[in-house]
Amino acid sequence: MTHIITARGLTKTFRVKKAVVDAVTDLDLDVQRGELVAFLGPNGAGKSTSLRMLTTLLPPTSGTATVAGHDIATDPAGVRARIGYIGQGTSAGHNQRVRDELLSQGAFYGMSRTDAAARADELLESLDLGALATRKVLGLSGGQKRRLDIALGLIHSPELLFLDEPSTGLDPQSRANLWQHLLELRREHGTTIFVTTHFLEEADQFAERVLVMDHGRMIADDTAANLKTTLAGDVITLGFASEADARAAASRIPTSSTTGSTVTATVDRGDLLLPRLIRELDSVTSATLRQPTLDDVFLALTGRSLRETEGAHA
Amino acid sequence: MTMTTATWNVLTRELRPVLRDPFSLIFSLLQPLVFLGLFGPLLVASSPAPASQTLQSFVPGILVMIALFGTGTTGSNLLYEMQTGSHERTLVAPIPRSSLLVGRALKEMVPIMVQACVMALVTIPFGFSVNPIGLLLGLVLLAIFGLGFGALSYSLALASRNNDWMFWGIQQATLFPLMILSGMLLPLDNAPQWMQVAAAFNPISYVVSAERSLLAGDLASMATVGGFVAAAVLAAIGLGVGIRAMKKAA
């Protein structure tokens, strides 16, 4: 079996003040060993709830899932021993020292003292935390705490790593740094990485597979490139000297629309089409090509922009 | 992983900050020292009995106070770890949930032992006489009591994880009545009838009486037995409630 995560009909409903809230509805999911999957969606879409079910933190209301070869409901201990989980908060205790916390974490995962110590030093080195080994967690910066979270999640070299919004609260440089570590981990050890994020750019740039979630349901599952091609498409905008020229040109481009002396068309492979159009239509005075982002995908799927949704939450 | 190994690992993690910063133990003796230094003289002055006799009843009370206040607030550490996310991390680790509670509660014994020892030694020059075996047994009694009361504090933290004001509210509302109604500072011999009845239902009263009896060298008294029974019952209830709360809280 090459699937490291299989979920069928995973559902979670909460009761909040007598009202039933459907946090996650009927999640079906198959993740291959070694994949890097991003769960994209606005806050409150059900990403974290899904992750908490898959990591045995939250029992599902209904549905089943097998994670790293073990059933989340009947063998949570088997799942826990094989996965790494990096939550939204700070994993290390505030009054602990950096290296101490790694040693404790190693012991929790059944490692011997010497193994835990060797692994702790290795992780401190590779995550640039070596100089902070005897520092108290309370005094670390946000980026340092996040790197320690990663180190804690990796102490037992899990085959599958879950990360819940790992970039939240990080400055752009720390964020890039974090992703560099994750990609390295994957390259060197083939670790399967499952990450939730509401950062479009992050999902777009790093994940080979993007799952889009909204209102507790998974509404898309494909590579970022395919999602953009099938759901959004490239937008070509051409300007003309007169309205007549514009209309004449529009009649030659299928699925285009004319506003004044401007023609807009949503097409596949606009990068190839645009030069041809400019050659063929000598009346063109201006031309732009806008390639879609995952936000356009989200807009096409839900009618809302992910950025607007974020703004409404902020 | 076996429950014993896991509990040991949790206990070790909890003790690390204490070992790294042993001075913190001495620093938290400030409150009992204030009582000893500012309340003790008043007590001595207002009593016709000689100072040494007053100390003989007052110091054991202060030792129980150390255990009461030290473990009564310890749930706040767990509360904080639940808010920051480090408790969640331990919930995903392959260790039994119950070990997370028992390991933490066991850790409470260590600071109590150290602090009570320091306190007893500090008061000897002022005329407090202590039976060494009694002190040893007294420390064991305090440790059992601290284990139970600490477990209850952790249970309260787990119950109030979504409303941290509740933790502090209940903690403040119970610690002082428990302290006063145990005869810890002022003996309840002359207290009104209803206070004496309330004290009879307060397990800490028995721990205080036993502690006084033990430190005075009266090792096999009924008070001693009563104190150990009260502490053991409290520990059993504390661990039972705490383990349930820890398993329920995900």
Side-chain angles (χ1 to χ4, degrees), chain A residues 212-226:
Chain A
V212 184
M213 198 157 199
D214 192 37
H215 296 308
R217 288 178 185 275
M218 194 161 80
I219 52 176
D221 172 3
D222 210 331
T223 64
N226 279 351

Side-chain angles (χ1 to χ4, degrees), chain A residues 14-21:
Chain A
F14 291 109
R15 271 185 181 280
V16 182
K17 289 174 185 160
K18 289 182 184 168
V20 176
V21 178

Side-chain angles (χ1 to χ4, degrees), chain B residues 8-233:
Chain B
W8 174 255
N9 289 335
V10 173
L11 171 66
T12 312
R13 171 173 184 254
E14 292 300 313
L15 281 177
R16 278 196 165 111
V18 182
L19 294 175
R20 294 298 188 194
D21 226 345
F23 187 70
S24 66
L25 287 184
I26 305 302
F27 199 73
S28 51
L29 280 177
L30 219 59
Q31 189 205 342
L33 277 172
V34 165
F35 271 90
L36 200 67
L38 297 181
F39 195 84
L42 287 179
L43 209 57
V44 169
S46 64
S47 162
S52 63
Q53 199 183 323
T54 308
L55 276 181
Q56 212 60 44
S57 113
F58 185 59
V59 174
I62 291 290
L63 298 191
V64 181
M65 178 196 248
I66 292 172
L68 180 69
F69 280 84
T71 59
T73 53
T74 194
S76 66
N77 293 322
L78 176 59
L79 201 59
Y80 195 68
E81 292 208 347
M82 282 191 281
Q83 286 162 352
T84 59
S86 67
H87 179 62
E88 189 182 66
R89 175 195 114 215
T90 59
L91 291 177
V92 193
I95 49 177
R97 296 274 151 97
S98 47
S99 70
L100 290 170
L101 189 281
V102 180
R104 278 178 184 273
L106 283 172
K107 168 252 167 182
E108 297 308 319
M109 297 172 135
V110 177
I112 293 174
M113 306 279 251
V114 176
Q115 292 174 337
C117 253
V118 170
M119 213 58 177
L121 294 177
V122 162
T123 51
I124 287 173
F126 296 95
F128 175 64
S129 80
V130 60
N131 176 304
I133 299 171
L135 177 63
L136 206 66
L137 287 172
L139 290 177
V140 173
L141 174 64
L142 283 183
I144 300 171
F145 167 71
L147 167 72
F149 207 69
L152 284 175
S153 183
Y154 286 124
S155 313
L156 180 59
L158 288 161
S160 47
R161 64 187 176 285
N162 295 323
N163 312 301
D164 58 350
W165 54 266
M166 200 168 96
F167 177 83
W168 294 109
I170 293 179
Q171 196 255 127
Q172 289 296 323
T174 49
L175 278 187
F176 282 93
L178 283 174
M179 175 178 86
I180 294 165
L181 290 173
S182 70
M184 191 183 287
L185 296 176
L186 291 171
L188 292 169
D189 305 332
N190 301 321
Q193 183 69 27
W194 66 267
M195 282 183 89
Q196 297 198 7
V197 172
F201 285 98
N202 181 2
I204 302 170
S205 308
Y206 300 94
V207 176
V208 171
S209 300
E211 205 63 32
R212 284 187 179 134
S213 172
L214 283 168
L215 267 55
D218 192 1
L219 304 184
S221 67
M222 273 313 286
T224 305
V225 176
F228 274 99
V229 170
V233 169

